[in-house]
Amino acid sequence: MSKAPEQTGASAMWGGRFAGGPSAVMQRINASIDFDKRLYAQDIRGSKAHCAMLVETGILSPEDGAAILDGLETIHREIESGQFVFRTELEDIHMNIEARLAELIGDAAGRLHTARSRNDQVATDFRLWVRDALDGMEGALKELQATLIDKAEAHADAVMPGFTHLQAAQPVTFGHHLLAYVEMFGRDRGRLRDARLRLNECPLGAAALAGTSFPIDRHRTARELGFDRPAANSLDAVSDRDFALEFLAAGAICAVHLSRLAEELVIWTTAQFRFVALSDAFTTGSSIMPQKRNPDAAELVRAKAGRVIGALNALLVVMKGLPLAYSKDMQDDKEPVFEAADTLELSIAAMTGMIRDLSVNTLQLKDSAGAGFTTATDIADWLVRVAGVPFRQAHHITGRIVRLAEDQGCTLEELSLADLQAVDPRITAEVFGVLGTEASAASRTSFGGTAPANVAAAAKAARQRFL
Ligand code: ARG
């Protein structure tokens, strides 16, 4: 005669064929409760939908259904209030909740798992969790965009040096620079929305891998859980983690964007640049150097991209080469996603705060806008436009003018007309009209260009498109 699990130490959930229980090490490597407890709300939601469907299809009696729903509500309250005792020997959130349900309502609890497996259960829970994370992140990015657009609008006409190779290139406006990030975060939001469309199919009812012999209604559970439809193939439904990978991929690209903006803040706040100042709320002092104001939040946002990229890599490697259908490897899908979601939430919030509080040193921006002969292209363009010189020649002539200014240790604007005409006699006094950084920026009126009028219009358009 076989012994009851409580006498052998085997799992009460699956220990029927086991004579002994798992070793302590086995429990440690096998248990996921320490991290998958974060799925409790989704697990309860999924179970409620499953239970309601079982009652509606006549698989479960209304009385058992009512007892189960009641018990699940109690458990939800117990977890929210911190009273619930999570047990490692019960492995994961699914079995912790089911075991507690049995304590609360007795035998009826054992009927909830009809026509379901932990494989479709966890896939459903995790999709619901990632869906919330996607929505939360999209909302946070929208707020960041709103903050950037406000700042951009306020500084639509503040000229600054634009860079390529981090070498002064051409004057741009500060507003224009910020709106570049609005575009980047807009694409990030697009990727999240796009991922959501593919995510939004319901695995529940795929059961272990093959579907079930019970007359379940997968469309009903899908609808109740806010999915667009049930996943079409039961094997795919329990094996697929594309939705998590897509979230991480979109998150990793977003983290890269955040790190680029963070890096610019780090550069811009140095004594050498002084383009912007961060608020006290987002900087720290040095314990030895009283003058210091360190951009720690920006540096940490820059650093944290590593975690998100790492999470994407981790899950890609977990999934690579896994045969269909479920493998326990997939239990390792959650921590990277949780870590990335937490990191992104914090990074976006920190960036939003830094940008909101940012003070812009418009004088310093203007002073440095011309350094590095940033209006050289404007001379070349002027030679083309006014004197009919082919651009390649104009480029060469301007190069000689730059060398002259370099030799004299002055800016392009400070060269005399005689100096300029010595390089090329076709140059007239009119050229001084394009040598100033403000005139240069104002002349860039092509679509998507940096002219203040464009930037003001682009900020307005961005509000329409993104907010
Ligand atoms: N804790 C498991 C996970 O997260 C739940 C699914 C377990 N399924 C199984 N067949 N052992 O993946």
Side-chain angles (χ1 to χ4, degrees):
M1 222 189 66
S2 73
K3 291 185 178 166
E6 52 275 16
Q7 290 171 279
T8 64
S11 167
M13 293 290 170
W14 46 252
R17 76 187 302 290
F18 286 71
S23 80
V25 172
M26 176 58 190
Q27 281 202 11
R28 265 176 56 212
I29 195 169
N30 198 38
S32 52
I33 187 62
D34 282 347
F35 52 86
D36 69 16
K37 59 169 76 140
R38 282 183 76 166
L39 299 176
Y40 77 89
Q42 289 76 14
D43 195 69
I44 290 171
R45 201 175 156 200
S47 286
K48 281 182 169 174
H50 185 65
C51 174
M53 180 277 291
L54 290 178
V55 171
E56 239 178 62
T57 50
I59 301 167
L60 191 67
S61 73
E63 298 71 43
D64 284 346
I68 289 170
L69 290 180
D70 225 48
L72 288 171
E73 300 229 330
T74 304
I75 292 170
H76 193 268
R77 277 196 303 274
E78 287 178 351
I79 296 177
E80 301 255 280
S81 66
Q83 284 167 271
F84 192 93
V85 185
F86 293 101
R87 287 157 54 192
T88 310
E89 66 277 16
L90 290 170
E91 286 182 36
D92 57 24
I93 186 64
H94 324 294
M95 297 207 293
N96 267 272
I97 288 176
E98 199 185 317
R100 178 66 184 137
L101 190 63
E103 281 172 16
L104 288 170
I105 68 167
D107 276 352
R111 298 190 189 278
L112 173 61
H113 214 50
T114 310
R116 181 177 83 169
S117 147
R118 272 189 294 158
N119 297 348
D120 59 336
Q121 191 179 354
V122 73
T124 305
D125 294 1
F126 200 28
R127 274 185 197 243
L128 290 171
W129 196 94
V130 173
R131 192 172 70 187
D132 286 347
L134 285 172
D135 292 345
M137 184 174 162
E138 221 236 287
L141 284 175
K142 184 173 167 182
E143 209 184 312
L144 175 54
Q145 285 181 303
T147 310
L148 285 164
I149 294 171
D150 285 346
K151 276 279 157 198
E153 218 154 38
H155 301 286
D157 57 1
V159 288
M160 66 180 279
F163 301 89
T164 64
H165 312 262
L166 199 55
Q167 305 289 319
Q170 289 175 351
V172 296
T173 55
F174 190 73
H176 196 54
H177 198 118
L178 293 188
L179 288 182
Y181 283 96
V182 171
E183 295 297 322
M184 290 148 86
F185 295 126
R187 288 193 296 274
D188 290 331
R189 286 177 62 195
R191 270 181 283 276
L192 292 170
R193 278 198 302 269
D194 195 43
R196 195 188 199 284
L197 292 175
R198 276 181 298 277
L199 168 146
N200 213 27
E201 297 186 343
C202 187
L204 197 59
L209 74 165
T212 175
S213 57
F214 290 97
I216 58 171
D217 183 352
R218 290 193 57 205
H219 293 273
R220 189 206 181 280
T221 39
R223 219 177 309 121
E224 176 162 347
L225 294 171
F227 289 109
D228 296 328
R229 63 193 81 85
N233 180 294
S234 64
L235 288 167
D236 179 51
V238 294
S239 310
D240 171 47
R241 292 295 182 271
D242 290 0
F243 60 94
L245 289 171
E246 288 195 44
F247 169 60
L248 292 175
I253 296 174
C254 178
V256 167
H257 293 157
L258 288 166
S259 80
R260 294 180 74 172
L261 181 51
E263 165 70 355
E264 303 217 88
L265 291 177
V266 170
I267 295 172
W268 291 347
T269 51
T270 57
Q272 287 70 25
F273 271 77
R274 291 189 297 112
F275 284 2
V276 300
L278 293 165
S279 68
D280 290 357
F282 288 97
T283 48
T284 64
S286 156
S287 53
I288 179 166
M289 295 165 283
Q291 86 284 10
K292 291 270 279 200
R293 175 196 280 281
N294 293 326
D296 295 44
E299 294 170 84
L300 287 164
V301 168
R302 186 174 61 183
K304 283 182 192 297
R307 291 180 189 239
V308 184
I309 295 165
L312 170 62
N313 275 311
L315 188 55
L316 281 170
V317 176
V318 166
M319 296 309 295
K320 182 208 160 289
L322 279 191
L324 302 188
Y326 177 84
S327 296
K328 194 63 175 251
D329 307 52
M330 288 159 71
Q331 176 166 285
D332 260 13
D333 59 358
K334 292 165 205 67
E335 285 164 294
V337 169
F338 293 156
E339 150 119 284
D342 292 345
T343 301
L344 285 162
E345 190 195 295
L346 186 57
S347 297
I348 295 168
M351 186 54 83
T352 305
M354 282 190 282
I355 298 294
R356 186 172 291 140
D357 289 4
L358 196 73
S359 56
V360 183
N361 188 347
T362 45
L363 281 180
Q364 171 66 8
L365 286 178
K366 175 154 177 38
D367 277 354
S368 49
F373 313 111
T374 53
T375 55
T377 316
D378 297 280
I379 303 181
D381 287 351
W382 182 89
L383 282 164
V384 171
R385 205 172 46 242
V386 180
V389 181
F391 182 78
R392 280 291 157 225
Q393 254 185 56
H395 183 283
H396 188 79
I397 295 165
T398 309
R400 288 174 53 208
I401 294 173
V402 168
R403 202 166 65 208
L404 195 66
E406 218 164 18
D407 290 346
Q408 296 189 12
C410 67
T411 67
L412 294 174
E413 263 180 300
E414 284 159 4
L415 289 169
S416 71
L417 183 59
D419 282 339
L420 294 171
Q421 287 177 334
V423 176
D424 194 289
R426 285 170 291 189
I427 296 176
T428 68
E430 201 192 307
V431 79
F432 288 104
V434 303
L435 286 184
T437 53
E438 266 160 357
S440 167
S443 73
R444 300 290 194 280
T445 53
S446 56
F447 184 84
T450 197
N454 282 36
V455 175
K460 202 172 279 168
R463 248 181 240 293
Q464 293 286 320
R465 287 163 61 210
F466 296 121
L467 307 183

